[in-house]
Amino acid sequence: MDKDTLFSAFGKWVAPINPNIIPNWQSTTTLDRYVKKLDTLVFLYIFIEAQLEKRKGLRSIMRKLEHDEEFQKQLGIASISASQLSRKNNQLDPEVLQAILCNLITQLHRDARPISGRIGTVKIIDSSTISVCLQRYKWATFRKTKAGVKLHLRVAFADPDHVYPDKAVVTPARPADRSQMDVLIDESDVTYLMDRGYLDYGKYDSYCERGIRFVSRLKDNAVVEEVEELSVNTDSDIIRDVKVVLGKAHKRMQHPLRMIVTTDGRGNEVRIITNRFDLTAEELGDLYRSRWQIEMFFRWVKQNLKLTCFYGDSENAVMNQIWICLIAYCLLLLMKLELGTSRTSRGRQKKQKDQ
């Protein structure tokens, strides 16, 4: 990238992308072999811009390039056809974009400084299903009358009001949420927040043995054996705090857990289950409420980026678009963090000068 591009607005957005990742793939695979125009990096920049502007389709992306001379200079090409964009989108190995996303996540881990403190590192896991047309996406198995794609996601806290992707898996919509627990829950000394879709007694026992902490929610039909009633503050919104064992017969858990009974915003009773006995019941109740941060993340991405309508029908095209969507989000957050740091530094320098 030349210096004019580097200091352009778009150049600043994409600057955190590590340019060495793609050449590493080119040296070991056939990536971009014999490609003269639409190489992977140019393709990525084009589709990041399409994400940020929520362009409707490939022809809209093509017209943007045709009528924007500044964008042409940044990319080094003057035009591209919709068929070329489609072909590249279908042929590109999604693992290339996934590697770029992982590198951006590493930068966020360094720059965002995830919340820790007394509670420790907290990560949230959940999934979001994107419904698609069965006739066009027959590979995306879901139900007899509809197809769907599921994004299984783990997010980390950047601050009390923001989360960012930490690990992601894309599958057809049919597999249950808990089918990806082994992929998303793989770190010790981390507390995972999850909903009822991840209830698995066998894995809970394994987490207790491996030092993996979790806070989840019980299903209404869960079999609960109460072992010990723990004290609750009279002025607390916690209804009960109980030491329990889940399951029965051969499905009975070996390790006791802690069940917190509280209420949601509508006054409905909520049973929270955890293997953390070191926190107060109030802290656990507040911690579980933080799980909604991932719901807000999914909502924001669907409303502000191009996630729910795809530019191609193939599995590669869909996965590539989801990875680019997450890449665009990470770039936005990195830019926000950089601007926040710059403003803080400038403010501090001005204050010192005034003094």
Side-chain angles (χ1 to χ4, degrees), residues 127 129-130 134 138-152 170-180:
S127 70
T129 299
I130 306 163
L134 180 60
K138 294 182 179 179
W139 57 268
T141 54
F142 189 19
R143 297 172 183 163
K144 290 183 178 180
T145 58
K146 64 188 300 187
V149 179
K150 185 177 286 188
L151 172 59
H152 305 264
V170 180
T171 68
R174 180 173 291 174
D177 289 352
R178 64 181 183 178
S179 66
Q180 300 302 315

Side-chain angles (χ1 to χ4, degrees), residues 59-121:
R59 294 190 182 280
S60 174
I61 297 173
M62 176 185 70
R63 287 192 292 269
K64 158 67 179 177
L65 183 57
E66 288 178 347
H67 297 97
D68 191 330
E69 292 184 2
E70 181 62 28
F71 198 39
Q72 292 174 14
K73 292 178 182 178
Q74 292 174 10
L75 298 176
I77 60 174
S79 64
I80 201 73
S81 69
S83 61
Q84 286 174 302
L85 292 171
S86 176
R87 186 160 52 248
K88 185 71 173 182
N89 198 20
N90 288 322
Q91 293 176 352
L92 179 62
D93 187 344
E95 290 189 13
V96 178
L97 300 179
Q98 193 173 10
I100 292 172
L101 174 62
C102 289
N103 180 263
L104 293 174
I105 290 171
T106 299
Q107 295 181 52
L108 282 168
H109 283 325
R110 180 193 65 209
D111 298 343
R113 297 176 183 175
I115 291 175
S116 184
R118 166 177 158 77
I119 293 176
T121 303

